[in-house]
Amino acid sequence: MNRTTKINVLAYASRPEMDINYFGDIVEYQGKRYFVSLSEEVVEFRGIVKEEENI
């Protein structure tokens, strides 16, 4: 993951309305799932979010 993506995900996760755990939580950003720890400034890619098909 490049530095710009890491900074963007950290900025997105730190918004007050996100209400995530400061020490680690899962965040969905632009169709992808990341583990984010704001306390250690860690971002780890966890996978792509799949949309459910309604039949």
Side-chain angles (χ1 to χ4, degrees):
M1 161 184 335
N2 63 34
R3 176 171 273 170
T4 302
T5 302
K6 179 181 177 180
I7 292 170
N8 287 339
V9 173
L10 286 171
Y12 176 75
S14 66
R15 294 174 19 195
E17 65 270 12
M18 289 301 294
D19 192 34
I20 69 165
N21 186 340
Y22 184 74
F23 299 102
D25 211 344
I26 300 296
V27 174
E28 292 180 5
Y29 178 73
Q30 294 185 346
K32 297 176 184 166
R33 186 173 287 126
Y34 298 93
F35 172 80
V36 178
S37 173
L38 295 174
S39 65
E40 298 178 13
E41 297 183 354
V42 172
V43 177
E44 297 175 1
F45 177 74
R46 291 294 171 107
I48 297 174
V49 178
K50 295 183 181 178
E51 295 183 19
E52 295 182 17
E53 294 181 18
N54 294 330
I55 298 176

